[in-house]
Structures are given as C-alpha cells and as structure tokens.
Amino acid sequence: MTVTTRRADAQRSIAAILTAAAECLGRDPAASTSEIAKAAGVGRVTLYGHFPSRAELVDAVFVQAIATGEETLGQVDLTGDPRDALTRLIESSWHLVDQYRALLLAAQDALPPGRVRELHADPMARVERLLERGRAENVFRTDLPTSWLVSVMHNVMHGAASEIQAGRITSDQAAPYITATLLAAFAPPKAE
Amino acid sequence: MTVTTRRADAQRSIAAILTAAAECLGRDPAASTSEIAKAAGVGRVTLYGHFPSRAELVDAVFVQAIATGEETLGQVDLTGDPRDALTRLIESSWHLVDQYRALLLAAQDALPPGRVRELHADPMARVERLLERGRAENVFRTDLPTSWLVSVMHNVMHGAASEIQAGRITSDQAAPYITATLLAAFAPPKAE
DNA sequence: CTCTTGTCGAACACCAGTGTACGAGTTACG
DNA sequence: CGTAACTCGTACACTGGTGTTCGACAAGAG
C-alpha cells in the first residue's frame, strides 16, 4: 500500500542497487557504497536517495536473501524419517549458507546486535520443528537442548564454508561430511 | 641475541602495552592504538616506538596468547582412552577459546590471511595427534578426514562461545555440551 | 655524571569512508 | 506536453582511524 507511487525508473534503480549490493557484499563484506553504486550502474547520490544509510541497504539485501532462501527451504520435504528429512534439509541449507556466507559477515557488523538473529527466526524455527519431531520419535537425542543442536548445525555448516573458502575441501565433499557429522552428533547416545 | 640492549624502562613499557592490548582487544576486537596506549598508561608515540604498526602489535599479542595457551594445553594428560583424553583436552581448550574469542576476531582482520592458521599450527597438531591415535584404536571414526574432525571441534567450541556471549547458555553448561556433542560426532558409525 | 635511550604530548599529513548540498539535465507519467 | 519525479557529477563537511615529526624532558646504564 505504500508502493504504487514509485516511478518505473526508480524501481529499476532500486532493483539494480539491491542485486549489485548482494553481489558486492557477497564478494567483500566491507564493500563501500561507492563500489555498490558503481556496480549497479548508478550514481552514489541515487543510492542514498533510496537507502538512507549503508546499514539500511545491508538490511534490505539481507532481508531479501533470507526471503529467497526461505522460498527454497520451503520446498524441502520434511516428512518421513527425521534423519532423512534432516539430510535433505542440510543439502538445501548448505548451498544457501555457502552462498550467503560473506553477506552474513557484512550484516553482522553493519546491523545492530540481534538483528541478524531476528531475521533468522524463520529458518531457525524450521530446523527446530524438525529436530523436535525427531526427538519425539526417539531418533534424535534429548539429553541436550534443541537450541544447542540448532547451534551445532549452524556452526558446522559455517565451518564447512570456511574450509571451502580456504581451499581445504571442495564444495562436493561438504554436504556428505556435514550430514555424516550431524547425524552422528544428533543420534541418541547409546546406553552402554 | 637481539634483546640484551633494551633498557629496563622500555621493557616495562612493552610489557604494559602487550597486556593492555590483550585486555582491550579482548573486549573490543577493533580497539584503536590510542585506546590501547591509554590503557597501558603510555603515550601513543611510545607504542609506535615499539610496534611499527597496529598489525604487528596484534600479531605480537596473538603470538603471546597462543604461547600461554600452549603451555596450559601441554599439561593435559592425553594418554589412556582417547575419548577420556579428548574430554580432558576439550575441558582445557574450551576455556582458552572462550577467553581469546575476541582476540581471534581482531587477529583475523588485522593479520594477513593464513597467518592465524599458521600460528594455530601447534595446537592443531596436538588435536590431530590425539584423533589419529583414537582412529588407530578404533574408537574414533575413520570415514571422514582427520582435518575435518579438527575443524568440527574448532567450530563447535567457537559456536559455544557465541552462545555464551549472547547469553543463551552459561559458561558451566558449555563444556559438557561440547563434549557430549563431539564424542558422538567422532564415534565410529555403527554398521546397521 | 654523562650520554644514550626512551618517553611525552601536541601537531600534522593522510586516507577512506559516510552522508549532504547544489544545480543542471533526463525520464516517465498523466 | 508539461510537470513532477528521478538521476547525475562534483564538491563539500565530517568522522575516526593510522602513522610521523618535532622538541623538550626524564631516566637508566656505565
């Protein structure tokens, strides 16, 4: 209801800035507004005309990234054996994490503390739901809090992204490694 | 052989700067040289007299941190059942990770890429040795590369540090959570 | 005691980024 | 078409950091 009053050419600029920003920040989390404007084929002034500050731009890009990620994740089949569902979820999440790694860094130091986590609420809830179901069905461990398991998953995936960036593993290997690691970590401890 | 020619008073300054830097960077990874000098009770000029650049100062602090960490880690008993040894190693490493978390961040963006890892060589080798032994004794899995397991351990510990900093878990809970998670993740997958 | 080494503060040059102001030119939209 | 919306480049003010220079002064070493 706010939007109808934007001229077509302004909308094009905004879109161009958003995609250019996504691309630049994905390469270098510290990319400057000049860099982004140039990449968008737009004057720096125009950029500030649409986004009051660098922070708000980063926020917008991040929001968009989460939204498109959510769309992908929403199509993952989470029914059936929770272990298989988790495998599928990892397979999809993983690509997103790898892709948006640098953008996340940008967000972390341009946005107020807590904002990143706030925007992650939806994807996190999805994981949590799956884990809870797995716990209820006795295929995931219940001796650790669900939130901790979520955090472990998060960190292992981001760790894998670092390893790739450093050239120590390849993109192909990552998903199976992550899956093998997390399935083991999440299994109920066998009583000895 | 280089050192004997430093005046007592200069040595005091250097020490003060080093400890102040450790403290400041531990609070805020982006702490400025002014801040550090002030905290050390020393002029900014004096600081630059001993450390040619901010980067070299950070490097020196980091080197020192690793060294004292290594000292602690060197006292951990790594004999006996590798699982127990790993538990003890985690217990010790964990405190170090938590303590030096912010310093690590400082190092990561002040030092040339690869330098951080280079300085981590010793502690990483220690972990690797233990894991290799565990693999040889069939208590740790061999279907994933050792280097991956090391990375997982690293990331889980750092993840725990974030959780603490965000106030979602307490320092007490961390070690048992980490241990429980890693022991499960590292166990050989049971043939089904 | 003397001379070298170190310390101090203030000032300076420099850089890179952010955000703003201005005025002229262009483009969509009705 | 005409007007309002948009864009552009240049230039500016401001901020906050880094690293250097200077000259005066203190303090340790022999």
Coordinates of all heavy atoms in Angstrom, one line a residue, chain A residues 190, chain B residues 80-86 130-142 149 182-189:
Chain A
K190 N 23.9 -44.1 22.8 CA 23.5 -45.5 23.2 C 23.9 -45.8 24.6 O 25.0 -45.4 25.1 CB 24.1 -46.5 22.2 CG 25.6 -46.5 22.2 CD 26.1 -47.9 21.7 CE 27.6 -48.0 21.4 NZ 28.0 -47.5 20.1
Chain B
G80 N 45.8 -42.8 27.8 CA 44.6 -43.6 28.2 C 43.6 -43.6 27.1 O 43.9 -43.2 25.9
D81 N 42.4 -44.0 27.4 CA 41.3 -44.0 26.4 C 41.2 -42.6 25.7 O 41.0 -41.6 26.3 CB 40.0 -44.3 27.1 CG 38.9 -44.5 26.1 OD1 38.8 -43.8 25.1 OD2 38.0 -45.4 26.3
P82 N 41.3 -42.6 24.4 CA 41.3 -41.4 23.6 C 40.0 -40.6 23.9 O 40.0 -39.3 23.8 CB 41.3 -41.9 22.2 CG 42.0 -43.2 22.2 CD 41.6 -43.8 23.5
R83 N 38.9 -41.2 24.2 CA 37.7 -40.5 24.5 C 37.8 -39.7 25.8 O 37.4 -38.5 25.9 CB 36.5 -41.5 24.6 CG 36.0 -41.9 23.2 CD 35.1 -43.1 23.3 NE 35.9 -44.3 23.9 CZ 35.5 -45.5 23.7 NH1 34.4 -45.8 23.0 NH2 36.2 -46.5 24.3
D84 N 38.5 -40.3 26.8 CA 38.7 -39.6 28.0 C 39.7 -38.5 27.8 O 39.5 -37.4 28.3 CB 39.2 -40.5 29.1 CG 38.2 -41.6 29.4 OD1 36.9 -41.4 29.2 OD2 38.6 -42.7 29.8
A85 N 40.7 -38.8 27.0 CA 41.7 -37.8 26.7 C 41.1 -36.6 26.0 O 41.4 -35.4 26.3 CB 42.8 -38.4 25.9
L86 N 40.2 -36.9 25.1 CA 39.6 -35.8 24.3 C 38.7 -35.0 25.3 O 38.7 -33.7 25.2 CB 38.7 -36.4 23.2 CG 38.0 -35.3 22.3 CD1 39.0 -34.5 21.6 CD2 37.0 -36.0 21.3
L130 N 46.0 -36.7 18.7 CA 45.0 -37.5 19.6 C 44.0 -38.2 18.7 O 43.7 -39.3 18.9 CB 44.4 -36.5 20.6 CG 43.3 -37.1 21.4 CD1 43.8 -38.4 22.2 CD2 42.7 -36.1 22.4
L131 N 43.5 -37.4 17.8 CA 42.4 -38.0 16.9 C 43.0 -39.2 16.1 O 42.3 -40.3 16.0 CB 41.8 -37.0 16.0 CG 41.0 -35.9 16.6 CD1 40.5 -34.9 15.6 CD2 39.9 -36.5 17.4
E132 N 44.2 -39.1 15.6 CA 44.8 -40.2 14.9 C 44.9 -41.4 15.7 O 44.6 -42.5 15.3 CB 46.2 -39.7 14.4 CG 46.2 -38.6 13.4 CD 45.7 -39.0 12.0 OE1 45.3 -40.1 11.8 OE2 45.8 -38.1 11.1
R133 N 45.4 -41.2 17.0 CA 45.5 -42.3 17.8 C 44.2 -43.0 18.1 O 44.0 -44.2 18.0 CB 46.1 -41.9 19.2 CG 46.4 -43.0 20.1 CD 47.3 -42.6 21.3 NE 46.6 -41.8 22.3 CZ 45.9 -42.3 23.3 NH1 45.7 -43.6 23.4 NH2 45.4 -41.5 24.1
G134 N 43.2 -42.2 18.3 CA 41.8 -42.7 18.5 C 41.3 -43.5 17.3 O 40.6 -44.5 17.4
R135 N 41.7 -43.0 16.1 CA 41.3 -43.7 14.9 C 42.0 -45.1 14.9 O 41.4 -46.1 14.5 CB 41.6 -42.9 13.7 CG 40.6 -41.7 13.5 CD 41.2 -40.6 12.7 NE 41.5 -40.8 11.3 CZ 40.8 -40.4 10.3 NH1 39.7 -39.6 10.5 NH2 41.1 -40.7 9.1
A136 N 43.3 -45.0 15.2 CA 44.0 -46.3 15.1 C 43.5 -47.3 16.1 O 43.5 -48.5 15.9 CB 45.5 -46.0 15.4
E137 N 43.0 -46.8 17.2 CA 42.4 -47.7 18.2 C 40.9 -48.0 18.0 O 40.3 -48.5 18.9 CB 42.7 -47.1 19.6 CG 44.1 -47.0 19.9 CD 44.4 -46.4 21.3 OE1 43.4 -46.4 22.1 OE2 45.5 -45.9 21.6
N138 N 40.4 -47.5 16.9 CA 39.0 -47.8 16.6 C 38.0 -47.2 17.5 O 36.9 -47.8 17.6 CB 38.8 -49.3 16.5 CG 39.0 -49.9 15.1 OD1 38.8 -49.1 14.1 ND2 39.5 -51.1 15.0
V139 N 38.3 -46.2 18.2 CA 37.3 -45.5 19.0 C 36.8 -44.2 18.3 O 35.8 -43.6 18.8 CB 37.7 -45.3 20.4 CG1 38.1 -46.6 21.1 CG2 38.9 -44.3 20.5
F140 N 37.5 -43.7 17.3 CA 37.1 -42.6 16.5 C 36.9 -43.0 15.1 O 37.5 -43.9 14.6 CB 38.1 -41.4 16.6 CG 38.2 -40.8 17.9 CD1 39.4 -40.2 18.3 CD2 37.2 -40.8 18.8 CE1 39.6 -39.6 19.6 CE2 37.3 -40.2 20.1 CZ 38.5 -39.6 20.4
R141 N 36.0 -42.4 14.4 CA 35.6 -42.8 13.1 C 36.7 -42.5 12.1 O 37.5 -41.5 12.3 CB 34.3 -42.0 12.7 CG 34.5 -40.6 12.4 CD 33.2 -39.8 12.4 NE 32.3 -40.4 11.4 CZ 31.0 -40.0 11.3 NH1 30.5 -39.1 12.2 NH2 30.2 -40.5 10.4
T142 N 36.8 -43.3 11.1 CA 37.8 -43.1 10.0 C 37.2 -42.8 8.7 O 37.9 -42.8 7.7 CB 38.7 -44.4 9.9 OG1 37.8 -45.5 9.7 CG2 39.5 -44.6 11.2
L149 N 37.5 -33.4 11.1 CA 37.1 -33.6 12.6 C 37.7 -32.4 13.4 O 37.0 -31.9 14.3 CB 37.6 -34.9 13.1 CG 37.0 -36.2 12.3 CD1 37.5 -37.5 13.0 CD2 35.5 -36.1 12.3
L182 N 30.7 -33.8 20.6 CA 31.8 -34.2 19.9 C 32.1 -35.7 20.0 O 32.4 -36.4 19.0 CB 33.1 -33.4 20.2 CG 33.0 -31.9 19.8 CD1 34.3 -31.2 20.2 CD2 32.8 -31.8 18.3
L183 N 31.9 -36.2 21.2 CA 32.2 -37.6 21.4 C 31.2 -38.4 20.5 O 31.6 -39.4 19.8 CB 32.0 -38.1 22.8 CG 33.1 -37.7 23.7 CD1 32.9 -38.2 25.2 CD2 34.5 -38.3 23.2
A184 N 30.0 -38.0 20.4 CA 29.0 -38.6 19.5 C 29.4 -38.5 18.0 O 29.4 -39.4 17.2 CB 27.6 -38.1 19.7
A185 N 29.8 -37.2 17.7 CA 30.1 -37.0 16.3 C 31.4 -37.7 15.8 O 31.5 -38.1 14.7 CB 30.4 -35.5 16.1
F186 N 32.3 -38.0 16.8 CA 33.5 -38.6 16.4 C 33.5 -40.2 16.5 O 34.4 -40.8 16.1 CB 34.7 -38.1 17.3 CG 35.0 -36.7 17.0 CD1 36.0 -36.0 17.8 CD2 34.4 -35.9 16.0 CE1 36.3 -34.7 17.6 CE2 34.8 -34.6 15.8 CZ 35.7 -34.0 16.6
A187 N 32.5 -40.7 17.1 CA 32.4 -42.2 17.3 C 32.3 -42.8 15.9 O 31.7 -42.3 15.0 CB 31.2 -42.5 18.2
P188 N 32.8 -44.0 15.8 CA 32.7 -44.7 14.5 C 31.2 -45.0 14.3 O 30.5 -45.4 15.2 CB 33.4 -46.1 14.8 CG 34.2 -45.9 16.0 CD 33.5 -44.8 16.8
P189 N 30.8 -44.8 13.0 CA 29.4 -45.1 12.7 C 29.1 -46.5 12.9 O 29.9 -47.4 12.5 CB 29.3 -44.7 11.3 CG 30.6 -44.6 10.7 CD 31.6 -44.4 11.9

